[in-house]
Amino acid sequence: IGFLLHTNGEKAFSKFLTELQIELIFSFGYDAKLRYEHYFKNLSNNQSKKALIFLDQHIDLNEKFCLLMQDAPLLVLVRDPLDALRSFLNVRASLNGEKIWTLRYDDLLKIDNKIVYVHDERACYNPNSSQKYPLIDSIKSFIDKTHWMLDFSLNRNRILKYYENNMYFIDMYEIVGQNCYETLKKIAQDFHLKIPEKSLIFEQRLYSILTILLPCVIKFDDDIKVFISNHYSYKILPNSSKKHILNSQLSHIFDDNIFIFLEQNDYYKIKKNHIYDKILKQIDNFLLILKQAIEVEKNKEVKILDILQYFRSKPKQAKVYKEILDKELIFIKKERPDIVASWKYYQEFEKICEELERN
């Protein structure tokens, strides 16, 4: 059973788990009966007998639901709660949703200003957001103990208490960069799964400003299309076996995850029409625009120091958040004190709270 909360690296971890050849079964909604039926049907049809079903606290009949599946180990993904809060404030989406941008070669600046921030001043998810900046003052709403987003981002105890001594904790930092493959290999060994082959996917950032903006398609005259993508995109691109990859011919690729290609027939067409070099220059120009757009968004981010300063200047909010964390980290502190000790931002927050109490 998987327990992966929002802003804890859940999207990337879910993707990595598929590399272990395990079926991931998701179900959402408050009705526990409907969820259980969904899981039962999917597990009954699972041929490999290796599957991971996902839980969250936003469910009725919580006790009965957990008791029915209490024998299975609970895989819990955790993260420094101050860093998770930073991630929450900075959650972005593309104005185009799940669709792929199409841009004219003579109007490439349109890739700029395509990102919105989806958590509003009430710290609620707004899928129709037009918000251009993250809102640090929404922390006050988020840490209200009755706020429903806490069940999706932080609260765990109503689930964890049914799996004492049968919990398997993974810290998000264990699935970042070069740590990721070794972590996945250990999970595979501990749960008797297929050990994955080493792959670049384990070192990629699967959720970033880049992956929100890409893929996109640049259209040229004569219906020539160049695809600017990222290697592990969650958006579906044309599945053509005959692609001509342009990466080696370009000067301004700034990220290893960028993958640029066109259909083989389009490649022959632009070579024949002697516009190949011209198109390469325009693609390079687009890459410079894209890099600048990413830098603009990075500069908008709420930084971890901003959050620590927020609590330092607002003792009341600091006290409320500490009370929430003191309660919600009980099981993690008991089972994996080493993980909690490694959370440098949480440790700094604790020091701030001690200073505020003394003063």
Side-chain angles (χ1 to χ4, degrees):
I1 298 173
F3 194 19
L4 320 180
L5 295 184
H6 182 47
T7 69
N8 281 250
E10 74 289 354
K11 287 184 179 178
F13 192 44
S14 297
K15 175 65 176 174
F16 296 148
L17 287 171
T18 63
E19 300 295 316
L20 304 183
Q21 297 185 12
I22 183 170
E23 182 182 353
L24 307 184
I25 305 174
F26 296 90
S27 181
F28 302 100
Y30 193 64
D31 190 318
K33 183 174 180 292
L34 291 177
R35 276 207 204 188
Y36 189 80
E37 287 174 358
H38 175 79
Y39 288 141
F40 183 82
K41 288 175 184 176
N42 278 271
L43 289 170
S44 299
N45 295 326
N46 181 263
Q47 299 299 314
S48 70
K49 305 302 180 187
K50 295 175 181 177
L52 190 70
I53 66 173
F54 289 87
L55 289 182
D56 59 61
Q57 288 200 158
H58 192 67
I59 186 172
D60 67 345
L61 304 176
N62 183 71
E63 180 178 356
K64 292 180 180 178
F65 195 88
C66 290
L67 288 172
L68 283 168
M69 296 182 289
Q70 203 173 20
D71 292 337
L74 188 70
L75 181 64
V76 188
L77 182 65
V78 295
R79 181 179 188 176
D80 184 321
L82 276 296
D83 198 29
L85 178 56
R86 178 195 61 79
S87 181
F88 177 88
L89 296 172
N90 291 319
V91 171
R92 307 171 177 92
S94 166
L95 274 171
N96 214 25
E98 297 296 306
K99 297 178 182 176
I100 295 171
W101 293 109
T102 298
L103 306 169
R104 279 275 305 170
Y105 74 93
D106 52 0
D107 202 12
L108 297 179
L109 285 171
K110 280 193 173 177
I111 196 66
D112 197 12
N113 210 29
K114 297 296 187 188
I115 285 180
V116 291
Y117 293 77
V118 297
H119 289 143
D120 61 21
E121 68 279 358
R122 301 163 300 154
C124 293
Y125 173 68
N126 178 8
N128 301 312
S129 173
S130 58
Q131 189 177 302
K132 290 298 181 181
Y133 289 86
L135 302 174
I136 193 168
D137 287 335
S138 66
I139 289 176
K140 182 178 179 181
S141 297
F142 177 75
I143 63 175
D144 182 320
K145 295 175 184 178
T146 63
H147 200 296
W148 62 276
M149 280 302 295
L150 288 174
D151 274 350
F152 291 98
S153 303
L154 182 65
N155 294 345
R156 294 183 176 90
N157 285 356
R158 285 196 295 126
I159 297 289
L160 298 187
K161 68 181 180 180
Y162 295 105
Y163 295 89
E164 273 199 88
N165 304 316
N166 201 15
M167 293 182 278
Y168 191 103
F169 286 96
I170 298 290
D171 185 16
M172 194 206 79
Y173 303 113
E174 295 178 74
I175 59 167
V176 173
Q178 295 182 352
N179 296 329
C180 185
Y181 178 72
E182 292 303 318
T183 300
L184 269 290
K185 192 164 84 169
K186 185 175 186 304
I187 292 172
Q189 291 168 338
D190 290 346
F191 290 97
H192 310 292
L193 302 169
K194 180 177 173 61
I195 295 176
E197 294 183 9
K198 268 205 166 184
S199 167
L200 281 175
I201 189 174
F202 299 124
E203 297 181 22
Q204 299 292 331
R205 286 194 66 191
L206 299 187
Y207 176 77
S208 67
I209 304 168
L210 181 74
T211 62
I212 294 171
L213 289 173
L214 298 183
C216 71
V217 180
I218 299 180
K219 287 188 72 173
F220 294 86
D221 294 335
D222 297 325
D223 203 31
I224 302 293
K225 295 177 183 177
V226 175
F227 297 89
I228 319 289
S229 184
N230 42 297
H231 281 287
Y232 304 103
S233 174
Y234 61 89
K235 297 180 183 178
I236 299 172
L237 284 165
N239 187 18
S240 171
S241 59
K242 295 182 179 179
K243 297 174 182 174
H244 184 84
I245 300 169
L246 297 175
N247 285 44
S248 63
Q249 304 301 308
L250 295 161
S251 303
H252 295 300
I253 291 180
F254 57 89
D255 192 297
D256 291 340
N257 203 8
I258 293 175
F259 178 55
I260 302 175
F261 65 93
L262 74 169
E263 300 290 336
Q264 195 75 43
N265 288 339
D266 281 351
Y267 169 70
Y268 292 140
K269 194 186 295 185
I270 63 175
K271 290 292 282 187
K272 181 180 178 181
N273 295 339
H274 306 291
I275 57 172
Y276 180 64
D277 289 341
K278 181 180 178 181
I279 284 180
L280 289 179
K281 285 181 181 178
Q282 288 165 325
I283 298 302
D284 261 331
N285 180 47
F286 173 75
L287 289 170
L288 292 174
I289 294 169
L290 179 64
K291 185 178 181 181
Q292 178 61 29
I294 290 172
E295 289 304 315
V296 167
E297 290 304 324
K298 282 182 179 177
N299 289 332
K300 292 180 183 179
E301 286 181 353
V302 172
K303 309 297 192 292
I304 193 68
L305 291 179
D306 299 327
I307 292 174
L308 292 172
Q309 182 55 37
Y310 174 91
F311 285 118
R312 190 176 279 112
S313 63
K314 297 185 185 299
K316 184 178 178 181
Q317 276 76 43
K319 183 180 179 182
V320 170
Y321 196 45
K322 177 173 169 50
E323 288 173 356
I324 292 171
L325 295 181
D326 285 346
K327 175 186 174 184
E328 288 300 328
L329 297 181
I330 287 173
F331 287 105
I332 304 171
K333 286 179 176 179
K334 178 184 175 184
E335 299 287 334
R336 291 294 305 273
D338 58 311
I339 288 179
V340 178
S342 73
W343 289 343
K344 61 181 180 179
Y345 305 130
Y346 171 69
Q347 301 302 332
E348 184 62 28
F349 173 73
E350 286 280 277
K351 289 178 185 176
I352 289 170
C353 291
E354 289 173 8
E355 290 170 8
L356 292 172
E357 193 171 332
R358 284 198 299 270
N359 296 331

